[in-house]
């Protein structure tokens, strides 16, 4: 899947790029586990690590403040609560104009806090209201998910299949990359249909865009800097 795709990496080493993404995911997990945003700058770093949520930073800072946001973050770390209870309590404390994005933010943070327990779940992976998302690209024909339980079950089955083919890490990191990558390739396909072929050559590679959508750019920069 990776090596035959000319749009994977600028260097042509897809496996190296994939390993870099997973290393960045581990670094992001460590950051979200340890961060205690008592200052505006620390709170801003949390939002910058969630690609689609950064635009809500000023709004949440004004309406909620660092203290309440820090408590909301602790709610997502609370293993005494169920998955949905954590998301609901987070949304009760962190309100914004687009609750769907903030709900995705809560789910994404939970994934990075506990990647061995929970897969990444955002609307572009599965949107239960519209029954859309990249999970549908790997489901059997005419099979529709009807509940979060079915979604988690299907992702778990996908994880087992990826394990068989060598993408095994004991957690959901590779599965999350696979699902976001599938989403990015779909967008790339539709974009190439809509733009001139010469302009399409300026579009970032698939794995580059995958890293961008997953909010990993800051961590990849740190890793690359450490290797120079």
């Amino acid at each position: 899947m990776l090596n035959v795709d000319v749009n994977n990496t600028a260097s042509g080493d897809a496996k190296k790029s994939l390993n870099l993404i997973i290393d960045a995911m581990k670094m992001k997990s460590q950051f979200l586990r340890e961060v205690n945003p008592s200052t505006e700058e620390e709170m801003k770093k949390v939002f910058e690590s969630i690609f689609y949520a950064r635009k809500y930073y000023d709004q949440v800072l004004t309406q909620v403040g660092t203290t309440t946001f820090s408590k909301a973050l602790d709610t997502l770390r609370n293993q005494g609560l169920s998955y949905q209870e954590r998301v609901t309590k987070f949304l009760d404390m962190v309100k914004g104009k687009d609750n769907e994005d903030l709900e995705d933010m809560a789910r994404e943070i939970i994934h990075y806090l506990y990647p061995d327990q929970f897969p990444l779940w955002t609307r572009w992976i599965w949107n239960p209201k519209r029954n859309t998302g990249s999970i549908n690209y790997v489901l059997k024909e005419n099979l529709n998910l009807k509940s979060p339980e079915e979604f988690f079950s299907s992702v778990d089955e996908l994880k087992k299949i990826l394990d068989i083919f060598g993408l095994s890490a004991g957690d959901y990191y590779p599965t999350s990359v696979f699902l976001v990558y599938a989403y990015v390739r779909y967008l790339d396909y539709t974009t190439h249909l809509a733009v001139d072929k010469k302009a399409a050559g300026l579009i970032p590679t698939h794995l580059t865009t995958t890293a961008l959508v997953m909010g990993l750019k800051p961590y990849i920069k740190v890793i690359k800097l450490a290797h120079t």
Side-chain angles (χ1 to χ4, degrees):
M1 178 191 73
L2 291 170
N3 291 329
V4 298
D5 185 351
V6 296
N7 289 324
N8 267 319
T9 66
S11 67
D13 191 342
K15 187 174 291 185
K16 181 179 178 181
S17 296
L18 178 60
N19 289 335
L20 180 62
I21 286 175
I22 292 177
D23 286 343
M25 293 178 76
K26 294 176 182 177
M27 187 175 289
K28 181 172 175 176
S29 286
Q30 183 178 354
F31 166 72
L32 289 172
R33 288 175 189 139
E34 296 176 353
V35 67
N36 181 23
S38 57
T39 67
E40 293 182 10
E41 187 61 30
E42 289 174 334
M43 179 174 163
K44 187 175 183 179
K45 287 181 180 179
V46 175
F47 276 83
E48 287 178 344
S49 70
I50 311 296
F51 174 69
Y52 49 87
R54 62 185 67 186
K55 60 186 176 183
Y56 299 108
Y57 165 71
D58 290 329
Q59 176 191 331
V60 174
L61 177 64
T62 301
Q63 296 182 2
V64 176
T66 57
T67 301
T68 300
F69 180 75
S70 184
K71 291 178 180 178
L73 202 57
D74 282 337
T75 297
L76 300 180
R77 298 181 177 121
N78 188 347
Q79 298 190 74
L81 300 174
S82 70
Y83 182 94
Q84 190 54 49
E85 285 174 336
R86 296 182 217 188
V87 173
T88 300
K89 287 182 177 292
F90 179 87
L91 292 176
D92 286 342
M93 300 171 75
V94 182
K95 301 182 184 298
K97 290 183 179 178
D98 193 332
N99 243 28
E100 288 187 319
D101 274 342
L102 292 176
E103 185 174 8
D104 278 350
M105 180 183 187
R107 290 171 174 164
E108 180 167 333
I109 291 174
I110 290 176
H111 165 61
Y112 280 97
L113 290 173
Y114 305 106
D116 57 328
Q117 298 178 40
F118 303 107
L120 180 62
W121 177 12
T122 53
R123 280 171 293 162
W124 53 84
I125 290 178
W126 183 53
N127 186 334
K129 293 181 180 178
R130 299 182 179 180
N131 198 27
T132 56
S134 61
I135 189 63
N136 291 296
Y137 308 153
V138 296
L139 292 176
K140 293 179 181 178
E141 191 174 353
N142 299 321
L143 181 64
N144 295 317
L145 302 177
K146 297 180 177 63
S147 68
E149 290 75 21
E150 288 187 1
F151 167 73
F152 285 124
S153 178
S154 65
V155 175
D156 191 52
E157 186 174 347
L158 173 61
K159 178 180 179 297
K160 292 175 182 176
I161 294 172
L162 293 177
D163 286 348
I164 294 172
F165 284 92
L167 282 174
S168 177
D171 50 48
Y172 283 100
Y173 286 142
T175 313
S176 299
V177 174
F178 181 91
L179 288 169
V180 176
Y181 178 82
Y183 167 76
V184 166
R185 286 198 61 168
Y186 170 76
L187 288 184
D188 178 71
Y189 173 72
T190 56
T191 301
H192 273 69
L193 292 177
V195 301
D196 183 87
K197 289 184 178 180
K198 293 181 180 180
L202 301 175
I203 297 172
T205 62
H206 293 153
L207 285 175
T208 298
T209 308
T210 297
L212 177 69
V213 171
M214 298 181 79
L216 300 175
K217 284 294 186 178
Y219 306 98
I220 288 178
K221 287 181 181 179
V222 171
I223 294 172
K224 287 184 175 180
L225 182 62
H227 289 171
T228 61

